[in-house]
Amino acid sequence: MKKFAVFGNPIAHSLSPVIHNMFAVELNEAISYEKICAPVDNFESSISTFFNSENAKGCNVTVPFKENAFRMASELEKGAKLAKAVNTLVRNDDGSLSGFNTDGVGLVNDLLNATVSVEGARVLLLGAGGAARGVVHPLLDAGVSHISILNRSFDKADILAQEAEDSRVVAVTVNDSSNIADIDIVINSTSASLSGLVPAIPEGVFDNNAVAYDMLYAKEPTRFMSFAAKQGAKIQLDGLGMLVEQAAAAFKIWTGKQPDTAPVLQKLRIMLANENRP
Ligand code: NDP
């Protein structure tokens, strides 16, 4: 049986085992998939122990280890290189590890599933942390016309915009009216919702009938989604679909098989609604 896992700290609430086990049933793959809480100061040895098992084929990596995984991979796919973060590792036949970042493709596929027009869209990306890093290039590859990055610490937005090396990407402040006009999609990649907060958002940004996307997901609409709804956002989406889509992309890397994500997302929504999680 092929062995997979997700590494994080904390990891108890991860939905990844549920998602991957559903994919495996759907595609008739015999797998095991466990949650591993790696020590914050010893991720590398946890990974080595896991891959010592001959059946261990790959793993997912989540907060706070995506940069450690990036450093451990001897080969990196383009998305991971640009994001400087890895959420999917694969063990090659010679024992070396290849690193991928499927978060961005997960976001783009989730937007497309929701019939959001990504090609030609003007995007306002709130936040400049690891999640924002992972989505900039997949959004550019999907044909967006412009990305304005707005972050609480401007310097981080500026560095991310410069590293993108694409004239469509700029760092902005909350008052930069020219770059935040006519926005089609507002993506919240900040962790502000985790503390029940809404990040600073330029006034009138939803006036263009913009779509609001929060990478966070919860049982109820997040604070950002409720705020956007009040401001007139066309639709509000949370990040559960992104989670399922990034998992599907990882599953395809490991097995060569593309899962059907819609029934899995539907089951997770029901699970989440009945679960006692914040
Ligand atoms: P990081 O810690 O790397 O970055 C956090 C970002 O949020 C930084 O830009 C930080 O700004 C900003 N921020 C934090 N608190 C506030 C606040 N109160 N007001 C304004 N900005 C704030 O986290 P990640 O980028 O890894 O993750 C961000 C979010 O994305 C998390 O909620 C995570 O769960 C979610 N996520 C969802 C995924 C999915 O599949 N749905 C995948 C990956 C992430 P500053 O730079 O100034 O500190």
Side-chain angles (χ1 to χ4, degrees):
M1 185 184 282
K2 292 177 192 160
K3 208 173 137 183
F4 301 97
V6 57
F7 289 78
N9 188 336
I11 199 67
H13 274 75
S14 173
L15 293 172
S16 292
V18 178
I19 298 173
H20 283 281
N21 282 317
M22 284 197 246
F23 290 162
V25 170
E26 177 196 320
L27 293 167
N28 215 10
E29 282 279 325
I31 69 159
S32 70
Y33 190 109
E34 60 183 315
K35 296 178 206 179
I36 299 177
C37 186
V40 276
D41 56 355
N42 216 351
F43 168 75
E44 289 72 11
S45 85
S46 282
I47 287 283
S48 302
T49 306
F50 174 74
F51 282 113
N52 275 342
S53 157
E54 206 186 304
N55 294 334
K57 303 295 177 200
C59 68
N60 288 128
V61 179
T62 187
V63 181
F65 299 123
K66 290 183 189 178
E67 286 169 23
N68 301 61
F70 169 79
R71 289 192 291 272
M72 280 190 91
S74 41
E75 260 174 48
L76 291 160
E77 147 281 337
K78 179 182 148 213
K81 224 180 257 176
L82 294 165
K84 295 187 178 153
V86 158
N87 77 338
T88 303
L89 285 168
V90 181
R91 188 179 58 185
N92 303 311
D93 291 342
D94 65 358
S96 65
L97 297 175
S98 292
F100 299 77
N101 190 316
T102 65
D103 284 337
V105 98
L107 169 73
V108 170
N109 286 342
D110 192 37
L111 286 167
L112 296 175
N113 291 343
T115 65
V116 174
S117 302
V118 177
E119 203 172 341
R122 285 174 62 82
V123 174
L124 174 63
L125 179 60
L126 306 170
R133 288 193 153 271
V135 302
V136 168
H137 277 275
L139 284 168
L140 292 172
D141 289 347
V144 300
S145 65
H146 184 88
I147 303 178
S148 289
I149 307 173
L150 174 61
N151 191 43
R152 183 174 62 176
S153 319
F154 177 79
D155 287 2
K156 268 170 77 178
D158 200 29
I159 290 167
L160 180 52
Q162 283 178 36
E163 285 181 5
E165 293 184 344
D166 190 303
S167 58
R168 289 174 288 171
V169 186
V170 293
V172 298
T173 61
V174 80
N175 299 315
D176 184 348
S177 49
S178 61
N179 280 310
I180 45 189
D182 301 328
I183 292 295
D184 301 300
I185 309 173
V186 182
I187 299 169
N188 181 23
S189 84
T190 74
S191 44
S193 290
L194 285 173
S195 340
L197 299 170
V198 175
I201 296 176
E203 218 170 294
V205 83
F206 293 106
D207 289 356
N208 192 37
N209 236 350
V211 169
Y213 193 102
D214 198 344
M215 286 195 193
L216 193 73
Y217 57 84
K219 197 172 179 163
E220 311 286 347
T222 65
R223 285 289 299 276
F224 170 75
M225 290 166 73
S226 306
F227 174 86
K230 279 192 201 127
Q231 299 290 315
K234 183 162 94 179
I235 49 170
Q236 307 90 45
L237 301 165
D238 74 5
L240 191 62
M242 173 177 172
L243 180 77
V244 174
E245 289 296 341
Q246 65 75 28
F251 195 89
K252 181 153 188 214
I253 290 166
W254 293 329
T255 65
K257 295 181 181 172
Q258 176 66 48
D260 181 9
T261 50
V264 173
L265 179 57
Q266 206 177 3
K267 282 184 195 150
L268 284 184
R269 280 273 172 233
I270 296 167
M271 260 182 65
L272 206 57
N274 294 322
E275 220 180 47
N276 224 357
R277 85 167 54 210

